[in-house]
Amino acid sequence: MLILHAKASQQAQALSAELLKENDFLVLAGPVGAFDATALHPGPGRVGGTVLRFTHLTPRPSAFQVLADCACLCQRLLAEHLCALRYRQPQDEQTAFSGDAPVAWSAQADGTVTAFRLAPIIASSPLLMSLSRDLCGRSMSDDRRFAFLAAAFAGA
């Protein structure tokens, strides 16, 4: 599952249909209208399919906040399909993570996470929803939140 996150005032223009071939599910997360210019977004009222759209009425500036939303809203889907969970912003290229760490992420110097990957065992864990929600409520950088998440699942 790939999460594409458009932040406030970002418009996703050119998203390749190849994304649907490369991923079992595609989550489009962002403000109203962020994915309207793409051919990937499902029409209003459409239920089911491989493209899920999360419209945020209040901005979700961080990758970890989007992870917490996805863990809550897609918990059953992630458990049933046992797939990895990846995140990036629409204008960014897919980040290649080295190693087999169950939780991997890339961050800027200020602690802003720009991409992450969770192994299937982590993404499908029933603990992910409560742990991500708890970490979202704490005042810390996303980089530090992902470090805590990685430590919590270090034995997985």
Side-chain angles (χ1 to χ4, degrees):
M1 179 181 287
L2 173 64
I3 302 169
L4 294 176
H5 175 214
K7 294 185 179 182
S9 76
Q10 287 180 332
Q11 292 291 317
Q13 297 294 327
L15 294 178
S16 167
E18 292 296 314
L19 288 172
L20 291 173
K21 294 177 184 173
E22 298 168 6
N23 300 282
D24 292 335
F25 295 96
L26 188 62
V27 175
L28 306 177
V32 174
F35 293 96
D36 286 352
T38 70
L40 294 178
H41 90 86
R46 183 169 172 231
V47 178
T50 58
V51 178
L52 309 166
R53 185 163 179 184
F54 298 165
T55 301
H56 295 128
L57 301 178
T58 58
R60 298 287 195 273
S62 80
F64 205 88
Q65 289 174 322
V66 174
L67 169 61
D69 288 345
C70 192
C72 178
L73 297 170
C74 296
Q75 182 180 24
R76 178 173 284 185
L77 186 65
L78 288 165
E80 288 174 358
H81 292 275
L82 194 64
C83 55
L85 184 58
R86 294 175 294 124
Y87 166 95
R88 69 179 174 89
Q89 294 184 8
Q91 71 278 5
D92 295 343
E93 293 296 319
Q94 187 160 330
T95 303
F97 295 103
S98 60
D100 293 333
V103 179
W105 69 98
S106 63
Q108 298 173 345
D110 66 354
T112 302
V113 169
T114 57
F116 69 77
R117 180 194 47 138
L118 303 181
I121 194 73
I122 306 303
S124 65
S125 173
L127 297 174
L128 180 62
M129 181 177 68
S130 59
L131 186 57
S132 62
R133 195 178 300 156
D134 180 57
L135 287 170
C136 253
R138 299 188 184 270
S139 179
M140 60 179 73
S141 71
D142 264 8
D143 188 36
R144 189 156 163 86
R145 287 182 180 121
F146 276 99
F148 272 97
L149 188 67
F153 287 106

